[in-house]
Amino acid sequence: GPVTVTHPDITRYFMTVEEASELVIQASGLSKGGEIFVLDMGEPIKILNIAKRMISLAGKDPCFSTKDISPNNILIEYTGLRPGEKMYEELFIENSSFPTSHPQINKCDEISINIDEIETVFKKCLSLVYASLLFQ
């Protein structure tokens, strides 16, 4: 120990490689080109619960204070969120998904930007960067 957890309430989704691989292959069969699919990953899990379970599986007890540390305990420390890290994962920009013929695969109806528009904006940004470098 100690085992570090960013925050007691932080959650994440988990899938096995086998589950994810199977659903990705299934989604590729549903694709007509350019769609965005979201896999059903079940319910998000608290990272704290995973830490506690790992400690228990090691035959130890979790503790949250250095005062409680003993040979049978492992300390769980909170490190805090890093810049930009979220408490939970957002699967959609706008909650706009709808079912497909597969019960564990949803299709998103997200707003998209044309690649030509992206290229135009990127070129403008690049020219501004070059111009600022010339005037330094």
Side-chain angles (χ1 to χ4, degrees):
V3 172
T4 58
V5 175
T6 54
H7 189 280
D9 296 323
I10 198 162
T11 61
R12 292 292 180 261
Y13 289 95
F14 291 92
M15 293 182 86
T16 66
V17 172
E18 290 81 9
E19 288 174 307
S21 300
E22 182 179 329
L23 288 175
V24 167
I25 291 168
Q26 294 286 335
S28 69
L30 297 172
S31 178
K32 293 180 176 82
E35 299 94 345
I36 299 172
F37 294 103
V38 176
L39 310 179
D40 180 355
M41 296 181 280
E43 294 299 316
I45 300 171
K46 279 191 173 188
I47 300 299
L48 177 59
N49 292 347
I50 294 172
K52 288 178 181 177
R53 188 161 185 196
M54 288 173 52
I55 291 168
S56 295
L57 290 171
K60 305 284 184 178
D61 295 317
C63 69
F64 297 92
S65 169
T66 53
K67 299 176 202 168
D68 299 329
I69 294 178
S70 72
N72 197 41
N73 292 346
I74 294 180
L75 179 67
I76 295 179
E77 288 183 330
Y78 298 115
T79 60
L81 296 175
R82 291 169 277 191
E85 188 173 17
K86 295 183 176 186
M87 291 290 291
Y88 56 92
E89 295 175 296
E90 296 174 285
L91 300 180
F92 307 101
I93 296 169
E94 298 173 8
N95 200 9
S96 58
S97 71
F98 51 92
T100 65
S101 60
H102 193 290
Q104 291 180 287
I105 301 173
N106 287 335
K107 188 175 172 182
C108 292
D109 189 21
E110 298 287 341
I111 298 170
S112 61
I113 300 173
N114 182 303
I115 189 69
D116 295 330
E117 292 176 46
I118 294 172
E119 189 173 351
T120 300
V121 171
F122 180 76
K123 284 179 180 176
K124 284 180 184 177
C125 290
L126 198 56
S127 67
L128 289 171
V129 169
Y130 287 142
S132 70
L133 292 174
L134 290 174
F135 293 107
Q136 286 187 4

